Amino acid sequence: MNLTANIAGFNFDHILLNAAGVVCQTSDELDSVLASDYTGAVVTKSATPSLRPGNVSPRYHELTNGLGTINSMGLPNEGFDYYMDYVTQKQTDKPIFFSVAGLSKQENLDMLHKIEESEFNGLVELNLSCPNVPGKPQTAYDSETTEEILTEVFSFFTKPLGVKLPPYFDIVHFDNIANILNKFPLAFVNAINSIGNGLVIDEETDTVVIKPKGGFGGVGGPIVKATALANVRALRQRLNPSIKMVGTGGVTSGRDVYEHVLCGADLVEVGSQLAIEGTSVFERLEKELAAILTEKGYNSLDEVRGQLKIIE
Ligand SMILES: O=C(O)c1[nH]c(=O)[nH]c(=O)c1Cl
C-alpha cells in the first residue's frame, strides 16, 4: 500500500508529522518525532531570532470534554540559532521543516537570509498565523502585508518554502488569499493554524482557563475539524497544482487523516491529539488510515487525494 507523498522533490515515506508547536521545542522532542517509524518528517517550533520564554502560565489547556485544546503559548522557543544548529546537524532520511515566525517583516527576512546562506537543505515553513503575541496581528489576515512579505522573500530565497495559514471563514477570503499565494513559487501551503482568540471557561470556578490575554487563545483539536477541512478543500481548489497542501486541524483518527487527504492534503499534521496522546499517536493513525484504504479497495493515497465528492 502506498502511503507516501512528495513535496518539492522530497519523498515522504509517511504522510504524518507533528504540527509546529507540538512536541518540537527541544532537540529531544524533535528527535522523538523523527524517531517514530510512522512519521514522514518533523517540523520545528516556530523560531524567533532570539530565545523567547513566551507568555505567562497557565497558557495551555485541554478541554475536559475532550473536544480540543486552547493555547496562548506566546511563541516560546529556543531561538533561531538553536534550530539552525539542529536542522543542519540532524542528518536523517526524513525531511525537516524549519518553521520561522518573526515578529516583524524584517525579522522574517533576516532569518530567511540566514537559512538561504546556510547548509540547511530541508523545507521552510513561514508561520504567518500566530494568534498569541499580544499586540501582533495574524499576518495572513492582512493581504497587503502578506503579499509584501512574500514578494521580498522570493526576491532572494531559493530553497523550498511554504506558509502556515490561519483559518479563513469567508469564500471571498479564500479567493483573496489564493490569488496572492498563486503569484509565488511556494512549495506548499499548510492549513490551518489554531482558530485564533477563542475563550474557554472553567465550569467550577467561572474563570477562564488560561492566563494570557484575559483567557483568549488559539483553539485546536476535534472542535476545529470542519473549519480545517474547509480550508484545505477551498485552498486546494484554488491554488496552482504546483503548490502542495499540508492539512492540519482536528485530526484524532485515521478517518480524520483520510478526510484531509480527500480534501487535497499531501501531508497531514497532528497537533492537539499528539500533545494529548504522545508520539504513539502516529502508529495508531497510520494503521487506522491503512485499514480504511483496504476496506475501500484502495492501494494508494493517490487514488484518494482531492477526490471528495459533492452532491450533484
Ligand atoms: O502561542 C504560540 O506559540 C502559537 N500558538 C498557536 O496556536 N499557533 C502558533 O502559530 C503559535 Cl506561534
Side-chain angles (χ1 to χ4, degrees):
M1 180 174 290
N2 179 345
L3 299 177
T4 67
N6 185 291
I7 296 181
F10 290 89
N11 287 310
F12 298 85
D13 292 340
H14 303 271
I15 67 165
L16 297 174
L17 68 153
N18 64 301
V22 185
V23 187
C24 61
Q25 179 158 341
T26 65
S27 52
D28 286 350
E29 289 182 321
L30 289 160
D31 285 346
S32 74
V33 174
L34 275 180
S36 166
D37 289 336
Y38 297 91
T39 57
V42 67
V43 57
T44 69
K45 170 65 186 173
S46 296
T48 52
S50 39
L51 179 146
R52 267 177 70 88
N55 292 341
V56 294
S57 293
R59 60 191 191 182
Y60 170 80
H61 177 82
E62 292 164 11
L63 275 67
T64 47
N65 58 16
L67 285 184
T69 62
I70 184 168
N71 88 84
S72 184
M73 307 303 286
L75 256 175
N77 72 98
E78 308 301 319
F80 177 83
D81 292 344
Y82 178 96
Y83 299 106
M84 176 59 89
D85 290 348
Y86 181 85
V87 301
T88 43
Q89 282 160 22
K90 185 60 62 176
Q91 302 308 329
T92 91
D93 58 338
K94 290 185 185 180
I96 295 179
F97 289 86
F98 191 161
S99 176
V100 295
L103 300 186
S104 68
K105 179 174 75 172
Q106 198 52 53
E107 284 193 1
N108 278 316
L109 295 172
D110 293 347
M111 288 189 285
L112 292 174
H113 270 294
K114 287 181 181 170
I115 294 176
E116 178 68 15
E117 285 134 35
S118 78
E119 301 299 308
F120 175 60
N121 57 16
L123 304 97
V124 171
E125 182 171 280
L126 178 57
N127 183 353
L128 297 177
S129 44
C130 178
N132 298 324
V133 178
K136 292 287 176 187
Q138 295 170 80
T139 304
Y141 282 149
D142 177 336
S143 303
E144 289 74 25
T145 305
T146 300
E147 183 160 4
E148 189 184 311
I149 289 176
L150 292 177
T151 300
E152 290 205 39
V153 166
F154 285 107
S155 72
F156 67 89
F157 201 78
T158 64
K159 297 181 178 179
L161 179 137
V163 290
K164 180 71 172 284
L165 298 177
Y168 299 92
F169 303 92
D170 184 292
I171 301 299
V172 171
H173 295 173
F174 292 139
D175 295 337
N176 289 345
I177 192 65
N179 285 336
I180 289 168
L181 297 175
N182 276 331
K183 296 177 179 178
F184 302 99
L186 290 159
F188 66 93
V189 162
N190 184 342
I192 62 174
N193 206 318
S194 57
I195 296 180
N197 296 297
L199 192 67
V200 174
I201 301 170
D202 181 300
E203 56 196 36
E204 305 296 322
T205 64
D206 292 352
T207 309
V208 298
V209 296
I210 56 174
K211 184 170 180 178
K213 292 172 55 180
F216 286 73
V219 177
I223 202 167
V224 309
K225 189 175 90 169
T227 293
L229 293 176
N231 277 261
V232 172
R233 171 70 166 177
L235 289 166
R236 182 63 289 160
Q237 290 177 313
R238 289 165 174 78
L239 292 173
N240 297 336
S242 60
I243 302 177
K244 295 298 185 76
M245 281 303 301
V246 179
T248 306
V251 173
T252 64
S253 70
R255 174 72 203 178
D256 299 331
V257 178
Y258 180 80
E259 291 179 3
H260 268 277
V261 177
L262 269 182
C263 291
D266 295 279
L267 299 179
V268 176
E269 294 188 349
V270 191
S272 299
Q273 193 58 31
L274 170 60
I276 292 163
E277 192 170 332
T279 52
S280 62
V281 71
F282 295 116
E283 176 172 6
R284 176 176 68 81
L285 293 177
E286 185 173 289
K287 287 183 171 166
E288 289 175 3
L289 174 63
I292 292 168
L293 292 185
T294 300
E295 173 199 318
K296 290 172 178 288
Y298 291 136
N299 281 311
S300 166
L301 288 173
D302 294 339
E303 299 170 70
V304 177
R305 190 169 297 111
Q307 299 308 307
L308 175 65
K309 291 174 256 182
I310 61 173
I311 300 169
E312 299 292 350

